[in-house]
């Protein structure tokens, strides 16, 4: 069979997350969530904002956040105000020809405290209206059910995902979503970047480091609970909505060995196993991989499983595998290696690649490699749930925004996707991250913009929040119209 490019029904789209785009943090009965509590210190330099101390949640920061009733220095509380602008945003997506919108539902909008008996009707209505608006234009819906933000009550009362009770609360939430949106949603994703539980436990599994006696143990136990919640969600979806599609997703950290020194090669194997494969092996193959036994033994980690857990994982693997892809990194056995930044991680720098202003290294070939590796390993359809460039954009007086750097970035990644499809990969969709400007997850600021649509707001939430089309908007429109041929 000769493949020449993107299949006819390829899903071109854009992605956002509720906590970063919606705003309206206390409107419509929404409860406070974990992302609403991440502060911004406006006067810090970019380097300081990229530091681990800045990104790390502490008990003191968390307690202070809960006392702030207004927006304060919490940019996720205003986002891009999609809560009040969703009709306008979706009309712009339709004008661009977008086939699919990947968005997340805010758990705290549906269950304000996470453990409530009844869902919040206003929250349910908000998403119903939003989905109807998408359907008006024939835009398909890809829902992330949990993109980092959990109701704070689930942290205060239960200690986050390390408590097995969260599985029940999550499954109740999933059931509510399926009951209400079974005819609206095309693709379901229970967890955004499930490997975040390891690389950023506050975002991933709602743990605060200074509250944990044995941090690593809590992290892996919490991840186990998410794996079980994932399997139960697949089970429920398939029972309630026969034929529905449920996927898993990781932040894909593609690693290259620094040299052909076998020690670098072994480090690369381990980096790939511990940061990537572990998660998708559990969720797509349906069991803990053998290589993790040694890792757990050597790190004194003991996962408590209940009877039936392993059978559940085996019986309910996902239907497709998704990932976010921004940059690649180097694996080396040497301690001395120049570092650079990546999403919520510090990475070893690759001397062959260019870096963005935030240090993330651009590598379209790595995307082609990744697509081949994932498809080859699981033989399940693959979806690129996030990819894009965070950059400082300038709104000119005539309201234009010239962003050739973003077009270059997107173009070379889309070319790599096409090559991977010709290689034989069953890639069925691509959603540009932050299709509309939103608050950056790592550095908690508007200035790091990903959108092809500009939002007129600054880091502190000042501005009109009016939307403007960037040059990349027109470029992506042509790309979609030509099914990826006019780049
Ligand atoms: C991904 C997250 O890891 O990276 C998104 O799923 C995030 O929520 C994206 O926004 C880009 O990271 P950042 O830090 O530039 O916003």
């Amino acid at each position: 069979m000769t493949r020449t490019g993107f299949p006819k029904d390829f899903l071109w789209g854009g992605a956002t997350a509720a906590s970063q785009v919606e705003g309206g943090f206390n409107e419509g009965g929404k409860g406070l969530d974990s992302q609403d509590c991440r502060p911004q210190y406006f006067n810090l330099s970019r380097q300081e904002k990229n530091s681990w101390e800045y990104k790390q949640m502490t008990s003191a920061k968390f307690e202070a956040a809960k006392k702030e009733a207004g927006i304060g220095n919490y940019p996720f509380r205003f986002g891009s105000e999609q809560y009040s602008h969703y009709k306008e945003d979706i009309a712009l997506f339709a004008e661009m020809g977008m086939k699919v919108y990947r968005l997340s539902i805010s758990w705290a909008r549906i269950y304000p405290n996470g453990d409530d008996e009844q869902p919040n009707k206003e929250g349910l209505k908000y998403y119903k209206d939003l989905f109807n608006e998408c359907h008006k234009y024939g835009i398909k819906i890809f829902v992330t059910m949990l993109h980092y933000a959990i109701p704070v009550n689930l942290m205060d009362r239960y200690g986050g995902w390390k408590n097995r009770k969260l599985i029940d609360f999550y499954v109740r939430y999933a059931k509510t979503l399926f009951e209400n949106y079974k005819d609206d949603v095309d693709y379901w994703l229970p967890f955004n970047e499930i490997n975040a539980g390891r690389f950023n436990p506050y975002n991933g599994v709602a743990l605060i480091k200074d509250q944990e006696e044995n941090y690593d143990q809590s992290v892996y136990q919490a991840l186990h609970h998410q794996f079980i919640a994932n399997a139960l969600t697949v089970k429920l979806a398939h029972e309630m909505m026969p034929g529905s599609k449920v996927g898993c997703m990781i932040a894909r950290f593609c690693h290259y060995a620094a040299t052909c020194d076998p020690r670098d090669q072994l480090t690369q194997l381990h980096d790939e196993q511990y940061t990537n494969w572990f998660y998708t092996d559990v969720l797509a193959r349906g069991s803990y991989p053998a290589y993790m036994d040694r890792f757990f033994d050597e790190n004194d980690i003991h996962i408590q499983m209940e009877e039936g857990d392993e059978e559940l994982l085996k019986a309910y693997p996902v239907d497709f595998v998704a990932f976010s892809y921004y940059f690649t990194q180097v694996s080396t056995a040497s301690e001395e290696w120049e570092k650079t930044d990546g999403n919520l991680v510090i990475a070893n720098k690759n001397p062959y690649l260019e870096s963005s202003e935030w240090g993330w290294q651009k590598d379209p070939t790595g995307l082609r490699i990744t697509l081949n590796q994932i498809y080859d390993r699981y033989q399940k359809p693959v979806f690129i749930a996030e990819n894009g460039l965070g950059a400082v954009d300038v709104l000119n007086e005539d309201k234009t925004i010239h962003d050739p750097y973003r077009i270059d970035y997107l173009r070379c990644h889309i070319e790599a996707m096409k090559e991977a499809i010709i290689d034989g990969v069953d890639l069925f969709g691509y959603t540009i991250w932050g299709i509309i400007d939103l608050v950056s997850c790592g550095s908690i600021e508007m200035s790091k913009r990903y959108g092809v649509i500009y939002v007129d707001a600054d880091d502190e939430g000042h501005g009109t929040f009016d939307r403007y089309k960037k040059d990349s908007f027109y470029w992506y429109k042509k790309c979609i119209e030509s099914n990826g041929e006019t780049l």
Side-chain angles (χ1 to χ4, degrees):
M1 175 177 172
T2 309
R3 299 175 183 86
T4 53
F6 293 95
K8 272 206 303 291
D9 52 355
F10 189 77
L11 295 173
W12 297 99
T16 61
S19 64
Q20 296 170 254
V21 78
E22 274 181 12
F25 82 104
N26 57 2
E27 289 176 54
K30 177 180 171 293
L32 195 70
D33 69 42
S34 51
Q35 295 296 300
D36 293 329
C37 295
R38 293 180 59 211
Q40 157 71 284
Y41 304 102
F42 298 111
N43 300 324
L44 295 185
S45 66
R46 182 160 303 156
Q47 204 184 6
E48 286 165 322
K49 283 186 196 165
N50 271 339
S51 70
W52 184 239
E53 290 70 42
Y54 173 75
K55 290 177 183 169
Q56 182 96 321
M57 180 53 88
T58 62
S59 296
K61 285 189 197 174
F62 187 60
E63 292 308 317
K66 285 186 290 179
K67 288 193 188 111
E68 172 60 69
I71 287 193
N73 59 327
Y74 299 95
F76 293 114
R77 298 187 187 194
F78 58 80
S80 313
E81 293 191 350
Q82 186 168 86
Y83 188 67
S84 48
H85 286 69
Y86 72 91
K87 288 192 179 165
E88 186 184 344
D89 292 351
I90 292 163
L92 285 165
F93 298 162
E95 183 183 334
M96 221 179 344
M98 250 169 59
K99 312 277 181 219
V100 65
Y101 180 29
R102 173 185 175 225
L103 73 153
S104 77
I105 291 185
S106 157
W107 190 349
R109 242 185 231 299
I110 307 299
Y111 284 99
N113 300 297
D115 60 356
D116 320 67
E117 289 298 325
Q118 295 302 325
N120 167 30
K121 292 213 171 80
E122 240 184 299
L124 286 170
K125 181 174 180 310
Y126 169 67
Y127 293 106
K128 189 80 182 175
D129 292 347
L130 191 156
F131 295 155
N132 284 339
E133 201 63 22
C134 289
H135 292 144
K136 207 164 98 183
Y137 300 104
I139 297 175
K140 288 188 190 293
I141 315 280
F142 182 121
V143 158
T144 312
M145 298 161 67
L146 180 54
H147 193 128
Y148 295 161
I150 82 165
V152 286
N153 176 55
L154 294 181
M155 297 182 66
D156 286 339
R157 267 187 92 176
Y158 305 95
W161 277 98
K162 69 173 184 284
N163 188 330
R164 198 171 165 113
K165 285 205 177 99
L166 261 78
I167 299 176
D168 297 336
F169 299 133
Y170 182 86
V171 172
R172 173 156 62 186
Y173 162 62
K175 188 162 183 254
T176 302
L177 299 188
F178 297 160
E179 275 163 1
N180 283 275
Y181 307 130
K182 58 179 177 305
D183 299 324
D184 298 305
V185 174
D186 301 277
Y187 299 92
W188 296 95
L189 177 67
F191 294 95
N192 179 62
E193 297 181 334
I194 198 159
N195 52 342
R198 179 73 186 113
F199 69 79
N200 192 303
Y202 180 77
N203 286 354
V205 286
L207 292 181
I208 298 179
K209 192 168 186 182
D210 62 53
Q211 295 177 355
E212 298 304 319
E213 262 174 48
N214 187 342
Y215 192 51
D216 287 341
Q217 170 68 34
S218 299
V219 163
Y220 283 98
Q221 188 61 47
L223 276 163
H224 180 68
H225 296 152
Q226 291 193 334
F227 294 152
I228 298 300
N230 197 92
L232 287 168
T233 304
V234 173
K235 176 175 189 289
L236 196 66
H238 289 174
E239 283 167 5
M240 291 177 68
M241 307 175 291
S244 56
K245 301 271 180 262
V246 187
C248 66
M249 175 191 173
I250 55 165
R252 170 69 194 188
F253 299 124
C254 174
H255 292 85
Y256 299 119
T259 69
C260 50
D261 178 341
R263 288 169 303 175
D264 286 344
Q265 297 288 331
L266 187 65
T267 307
Q268 189 256 2
L269 173 75
H270 287 153
D271 285 345
E272 285 285 339
Q273 289 176 329
Y274 305 148
T275 62
N276 296 311
W277 297 132
F278 165 45
Y279 305 88
T280 39
D281 282 354
V282 174
L283 298 179
R285 284 178 166 166
S287 56
Y288 274 68
Y291 54 78
M292 288 307 284
D293 292 344
R294 180 169 187 174
F295 175 89
F296 289 145
D297 284 348
E298 290 179 356
N299 290 284
D300 201 21
I301 288 161
H302 307 276
I303 310 281
Q304 285 184 336
M305 294 209 189
E306 285 194 359
E307 216 184 312
D309 280 4
E310 284 173 312
E311 289 73 14
L312 263 177
L313 294 174
K314 193 88 232 154
Y316 299 104
V318 293
D319 304 306
F320 65 90
V321 179
F323 64 96
S324 60
Y325 180 89
Y326 292 96
F327 69 101
T328 54
Q329 55 193 297
V330 172
S331 293
T332 167
S334 144
E335 300 281 303
E336 307 297 316
W337 198 273
E338 196 186 341
K339 307 285 182 220
T340 189
D341 283 299
N343 42 342
L344 303 162
V345 295
I346 306 292
N348 288 324
K349 190 167 179 173
N350 186 332
Y352 297 98
L353 301 175
E354 289 167 22
S355 300
S356 77
E357 281 173 86
W358 274 265
W360 300 24
Q361 294 202 285
K362 168 173 149 192
D363 182 9
T365 307
L367 179 58
R368 179 173 172 190
I369 296 170
T370 290
L371 283 164
N372 273 278
Q373 287 173 329
I374 292 183
Y375 185 60
D376 202 29
R377 196 170 178 112
Y378 303 115
Q379 299 287 308
K380 295 193 184 225
V382 183
F383 189 93
I384 302 172
E386 290 182 29
N387 173 243
L389 179 71
V392 173
D393 293 324
V394 178
L395 176 64
N396 300 307
E397 269 185 24
D398 61 357
K399 308 298 182 201
T400 55
I401 303 100
H402 304 306
D403 57 347
Y405 35 87
R406 181 167 296 104
I407 295 174
D408 281 349
Y409 182 98
L410 296 171
R411 178 190 293 122
C412 60
H413 285 82
I414 292 173
E415 279 166 356
M417 284 154 46
K418 182 173 171 184
E419 291 305 319
I421 290 172
I422 298 172
D423 291 338
V425 175
D426 180 6
L427 174 67
F428 69 101
Y430 172 71
T431 46
I432 293 180
W433 174 249
I435 189 73
I436 178 163
D437 290 345
L438 38 66
V439 175
S440 132
C441 179
S443 46
I444 319 178
E445 58 189 339
M446 280 301 289
S447 334
K448 188 182 187 189
R449 296 171 182 274
Y450 283 86
V452 301
I453 300 167
Y454 187 93
V455 175
D456 177 29
D458 68 11
D459 292 342
E460 297 178 46
H462 304 130
T464 60
F465 285 83
D466 286 346
R467 275 68 169 143
Y468 298 103
K469 297 170 211 169
K470 303 184 193 177
D471 288 354
S472 54
F473 177 98
Y474 302 101
W475 177 86
Y476 195 39
K477 184 173 190 302
K478 280 204 191 113
C479 164
I480 299 175
E481 261 164 21
S482 65
N483 201 25
E485 290 303 317
T486 306
L487 299 174

